[in-house]
């Protein structure tokens, strides 16, 4: 069955370290998204992509980067992890081009000490 | 900037009750609105997607309506069950989410 996976599911790191969270989908969806979820803030968009080589900043993109070299993957990199980036991170995908259902991964819980 | 609000933040009802969850947005120029369900420690599952040209969508005991002119959407759950207990989130244009309403249905 087609699916969207995230790895690792849990990660503990130290401030200042570079961290990469993986997102992989097997639906061949054009659109992919990264969100963070924090208590009191709901889900906030970090970055999104509408296709290979396309990336766009979301509402809370500072300190994060993404690259889209193929359809299946959109890794999220924290260049220099900060305690404020402790959160649960969700990846999602949708077929596109615009109006479509999003499918979410199970999430990655990141703790920055 | 689009703002999405969900009130109340939490709701507790007895089993069997019909209920309505609310979602408000500030910019009526939307192309879709989705309702999601999130169980504790899990990802989000899409329940209903309403395109801007539609007024409502139905799936089983769920009915979602959209009124762009007033900036509101409602999710109606009929004959609630304990298994409906979860957090329900709405999202505008795929990317702007409300904080969610945590629903508890008591047996």
């Amino acid at each position: 069955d087609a699916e969207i996976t995230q790895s690792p599911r849990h990660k503990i790191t130290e401030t200042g370290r570079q961290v990469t969270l993986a997102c992989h989908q097997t639906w061949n969806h054009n659109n992919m998204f990264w969100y963070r979820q924090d208590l009191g803030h709901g889900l906030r968009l970090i970055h999104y992509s509408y296709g290979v080589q396309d990336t766009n900043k979301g509402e809370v993109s500072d300190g994060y980067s993404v690259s889209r070299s193929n359809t299946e993957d959109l890794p999220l990199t924290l260049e220099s992890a900060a305690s404020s980036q402790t959160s649960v991170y969700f990846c999602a995908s949708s077929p596109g081009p615009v109006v479509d259902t999003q499918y979410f991964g199970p999430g990655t819980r990141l703790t920055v000490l | 900037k689009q703002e999405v609000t969900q009130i109340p933040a939490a709701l507790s009802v007895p089993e069997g009750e019909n209920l309505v969850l609310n979602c408000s947005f500030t910019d009526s120029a939307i192309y879709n609105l989705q309702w999601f369900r999130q169980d504790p420690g899990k990802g989000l599952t899409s329940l209903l997607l309403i395109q801007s040209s539609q007024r409502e969508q139905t799936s089983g005991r769920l009915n979602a309506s959209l009124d762009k002119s007033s900036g509101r959407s409602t999710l109606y759950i009929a004959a609630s069950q304990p298994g409906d207990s979860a957090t329900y989130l709405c999202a505008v244009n795929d990317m702007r989410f409300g904080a969610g309403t945590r629903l508890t249905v008591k047996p």
Side-chain angles (χ1 to χ4, degrees), chain A residues 9 31 33 35 37 40-45 48 50 59 90 94 98-107, chain B residues 1 31-32 34 36 38 41-46 49-52 89 91 93-100:
Chain A
R9 295 293 314 279
N31 302 343
F33 309 83
Y35 299 89
Q37 186 174 35
H41 288 280
L43 270 79
R44 291 181 291 174
L45 182 66
Y48 60 102
Y50 286 149
E59 178 186 2
F90 288 100
S94 67
V98 177
V99 183
D100 239 318
T101 298
Q102 286 190 75
Y103 298 87
F104 277 77
Chain B
K1 176 184 173 183
Y31 53 80
N32 70 24
Q34 291 192 56
F36 293 86
Q38 185 177 30
K42 305 289 187 181
L44 281 70
T45 301
S46 180
L49 167 67
I50 310 175
Q51 299 183 22
S52 62
L89 299 96
N93 295 346
D94 295 335
M95 304 179 192
R96 182 72 69 174
F97 280 77

Side-chain angles (χ1 to χ4, degrees), chain A residues 33-91:
Chain A
F33 309 83
W34 272 106
Y35 299 89
R36 60 179 288 175
Q37 186 174 35
D38 305 286
L39 281 175
H41 288 280
L43 270 79
R44 291 181 291 174
L45 182 66
I46 305 172
H47 282 285
Y48 60 102
S49 168
Y50 286 149
V52 176
Q53 302 300 330
D54 176 75
T55 60
N56 305 280
K57 294 181 178 180
E59 178 186 2
V60 289
S61 60
D62 288 348
Y64 303 94
S65 64
V66 295
S67 63
R68 187 92 179 268
S69 59
N70 58 52
T71 302
E72 296 79 16
D73 299 289
L74 187 69
L76 177 71
T77 297
L78 286 68
E79 304 294 344
S80 177
S83 57
S84 60
Q85 295 177 309
T86 293
S87 187
V88 180
Y89 291 85
F90 288 100
C91 177

Side-chain angles (χ1 to χ4, degrees), chain B residues 22-37:
Chain B
N22 298 296
C23 174
S24 300
F25 47 94
T26 55
D27 186 349
S28 62
I30 68 171
Y31 53 80
N32 70 24
L33 186 143
Q34 291 192 56
W35 283 93
F36 293 86
R37 169 185 173 135

